[in-house]
Amino acid sequence: MPDTNFSFTSPLEILKHVFGYESFRGRQEEIIHQLLCGKDALVLMPTGGGKSLCFQIPALLREGVGVVVSPLIALMQDQVEALKQNGVRAEFLNSSQTYQENQRIEQQVRQGELDLIYVAPERLLTDRFLNLLSQTRLSLFAIDEAHCVSQWGHDFRPEYLQLTVLHERFPEIPRVALTATADELTRREIRLKLGLEQAGIFISSFDRPNIHYRVVPKANAKQQLLDFLKTEHPNDSGIVYCMSRKKVEQTAEWLTDHGYTALPYHAGMETKDRQRHQYRFLREENIIVVATVAFGMGIDKPNVRFVAHLDLPKSMEGYYQETGRAGRDGEPSDAWMVYSLSDVIMIRQMLAKSEASEQHKRVEQQKLESLLGYCETVHCRRHVILRYFGEDAADSCGNCDTCQNTVETWDASIAAQKALSCVFRTGQRFGVEYLIDVLLGKDSDRIRQKRHHEISTFGIGKELSEKEWRSVFRQLLAMDMLNVDLEGYGGLRLSSKCKPVLKGEQGLTMRKEQLVAKKASTKVARKNPLNISHFRSQIAWERWESLRELRMDLARAQNVPPYLIFHDSTLREMAEIGPQTIDALSRITGVGETKLQRYGQKFLEVLQQHSE
Ligand code: ADP
Ligand code: ZN
């Protein structure tokens, strides 16, 4: 039995012939080199950055089997299937298999018939498996999702702490730990807990240049979502995040009524329904999942074209993780969010009511401030995100709403003073609606009853419309000039921050809202990356449609997700270039030798049917 199916001797050859890619991305080549030299590595790369190749290629080049520790069954299955599609000898061992299957695979490991074996940490740590490894020639250990070792992180897995056993028992075998979670604390824990103090550290930029960021003022969220889908993603897969289960259900229903395939996903559903929805999302095209944050971990689908937020996430970390599920394949994708005054009030209230410790609340408070700052920024959104994660970034990215449409600002110092003193004069217990009525000098029974038509701020705000005042209050709340009271009625109180503004010592600049929300959304409407307008010609579009059909048929026949046959990016290149020979087809990105053999002829036939 040869050590691999392939006889390539350099990383670049493997990249080209096995995976069908032209060149390495970012630091991939350096990392591969490090492992080929037998040294350890810690790899920090954003989602979709291309972490897998960093250990897959050295595992193919070094003698022996590469052992990959991965925390999620779904992820393992996907990666193994993707490798098999490329002709790589890979298997996984986990609880979803029968005893016989397990035995067969163990046998293959022992006999050196595999290039890569994926296992869950619990399995790896059993005596049985460790003994198996001692009888086997090993090429490397890859510890995927290495942030699971961190107790402060979001996905702590106690078994990860015991992975130091690998180092102790197999000191000669190089190890690589990989994660997309960047913060300094987690990074330090990974090094310490996995005994990687000597490892080379490879940090990539966390920028996701193919994701377009946009935050839209919320008017009628569902209708806005529908408009967004209609104009930009009529036939795409995507995720819509909502805060509550109820809203998840309602939104999914609404989208279904409007002709979309929208499936709900939240923790209150039966496990089997949840699994079925997740399965369909992975296997079919044009599926929208409407979900609470419970959805996403282990979603490796590369062609998620949009992530929409109908409610505010709790922190920048959460937001970046959720939006990061879009566009793993590097194709243009959207992160779209609607955001309103009532969101800010609600989330501030939740924080205030929380029973967490003071310290914990302070941290949450700060995280919220950063997120609100992001929503209200008049600068490049990408810049704000990357700065938040400690990275230097260009002032303007050209691929976010604020870069594409300069946000107009205005001097809101006087308006802010009026709003704040209205809060003060009415006794710091009323909500926004009431305060605006007072500022506009409305003749209402409630105002008369409270005798607020007699105070100095009554009717002093007639120069702005109701809508403009809402925007002022929203921004004051976002700036933490106002607090929400704890009673739950949304009454506003002054915070200590607003003194200099009230005294006229500090000026305030605010965003000018585009007056009609609808107009704003069409103004920034871009071409949907993969609809007809995106293709150079009518014929390219026709090819794309037919290629997609063929891909779906092939995927169904093998019961695998379509993206494992070819990625969207590969299909799009085929459609644009329209290769007419096998040789020309082999030069398309993502077409390796195995896939060429397996599918080349079929795709070529479709391409020939649509020749120019
Ligand atoms: P991660 O695990 O970092 O989220 P993956 O390893 O799944 O990312 O890679 C993301 C996508 O990028 C995959 O579809 C992968 O095939 C593709 N990819 C990785 N490296 C390259 C490369 N050098 N050239 C082209 N595509 C690549
Ligand atoms: Zn920008």
Side-chain angles (χ1 to χ4, degrees), residues 11 129 336 344 361 451 516:
F129 193 78
W336 181 92
V344 192
K361 271 205 230 176
R451 308 185 68 94
V516 190

Side-chain angles (χ1 to χ4, degrees), residues 65 89 119 166 193 203 269 273 319 486 502 515 569 576 601:
V65 57
R89 304 176 308 170
V119 282
L166 297 177
K193 301 247 171 83
I203 302 174
M269 287 164 54
D273 293 331
Y319 174 72
L486 298 184
L502 267 174
L515 280 175
S569 47
E576 290 286 10
Q601 197 53 43

Side-chain angles (χ1 to χ4, degrees), residues 372-518:
L372 294 175
Y374 169 78
C375 293
E376 298 288 356
T377 188
V378 295
H379 304 292
C380 171
R381 295 208 193 268
R382 194 177 311 275
H383 182 91
V384 175
I385 294 173
L386 292 175
R387 290 297 315 164
Y388 180 79
F389 292 110
E391 240 181 77
D392 284 329
D395 289 340
S396 167
C397 74
N399 193 28
C400 72
D401 56 352
T402 45
C403 279
Q404 287 167 339
N405 306 279
T406 318
V407 183
E408 281 183 63
T409 55
W410 61 295
D411 180 353
S413 312
I414 304 286
Q417 280 176 2
K418 289 181 179 175
L420 294 170
S421 49
C422 187
V423 171
F424 183 70
R425 302 261 169 230
T426 50
Q428 309 196 60
R429 56 204 162 88
F430 292 93
V432 177
E433 307 302 327
Y434 185 82
L435 292 165
I436 293 178
D437 283 353
V438 174
L439 283 165
L440 292 176
K442 286 251 175 80
D443 180 20
S444 86
D445 290 347
R446 192 155 171 234
I447 290 179
R448 279 181 188 284
Q449 243 175 27
K450 309 271 180 202
R451 308 185 68 94
H452 284 154
H453 58 295
E454 292 167 6
I455 60 174
S456 59
T457 50
F458 182 76
I460 57 163
K462 289 182 179 159
E463 73 281 12
L464 297 184
S465 68
E466 188 185 322
K467 197 164 177 171
E468 285 163 330
W469 278 117
R470 296 182 72 85
S471 162
V472 169
F473 275 105
R474 190 194 76 226
Q475 296 188 60
L476 285 171
L477 270 154
M479 290 174 199
D480 202 23
M481 297 273 167
L482 290 170
N483 293 325
V484 185
D485 73 15
L486 298 184
E487 307 304 313
Y489 302 111
L492 300 184
R493 309 177 56 82
L494 300 182
S495 84
S496 54
K497 268 199 187 169
C498 70
K499 259 199 197 126
V501 178
L502 267 174
K503 286 194 192 151
E505 294 162 4
Q506 182 194 338
L508 275 190
T509 306
M510 287 192 181
R511 270 180 159 253
K512 201 181 250 176
E513 238 63 74
Q514 272 124 331
L515 280 175
V516 190
K518 259 233 176 90

Side-chain angles (χ1 to χ4, degrees), residues 15 21-25 28 45-53 79 300 302 328-329 567 589:
L15 183 74
Y21 299 139
E22 265 316 292
S23 53
F24 284 108
R25 273 192 199 155
Q28 281 176 329
M45 225 185 246
T47 308
K51 285 186 281 300
S52 330
L53 290 183
Q79 286 216 9
D300 228 353
R328 269 168 172 270
D329 56 7
H567 277 180
T589 312

Side-chain angles (χ1 to χ4, degrees), residues 301-370:
K301 186 179 169 84
N303 59 340
V304 175
R305 290 276 72 89
F306 66 89
V307 170
H309 280 92
L310 294 190
D311 291 307
L312 272 186
K314 287 211 183 66
S315 64
M316 285 296 273
E317 286 87 349
Y319 174 72
Y320 205 52
Q321 202 175 38
E322 284 146 31
T323 54
R325 295 184 178 125
R328 269 168 172 270
D329 56 7
E331 292 285 294
S333 308
D334 279 302
W336 181 92
M337 173 156 80
V338 286
Y339 155 79
S340 77
L341 173 64
S342 52
D343 289 331
V344 192
I345 293 182
M346 189 159 72
I347 211 153
R348 282 226 185 277
Q349 246 168 7
M350 266 172 43
L351 258 188
K353 277 193 205 156
S354 142
E355 288 180 2
S357 70
E358 276 312 307
Q359 193 203 349
H360 191 94
K361 271 205 230 176
R362 247 196 321 274
V363 173
E364 293 216 320
Q365 180 73 27
Q366 276 167 7
K367 288 186 185 267
L368 177 66
E369 299 316 331
S370 308

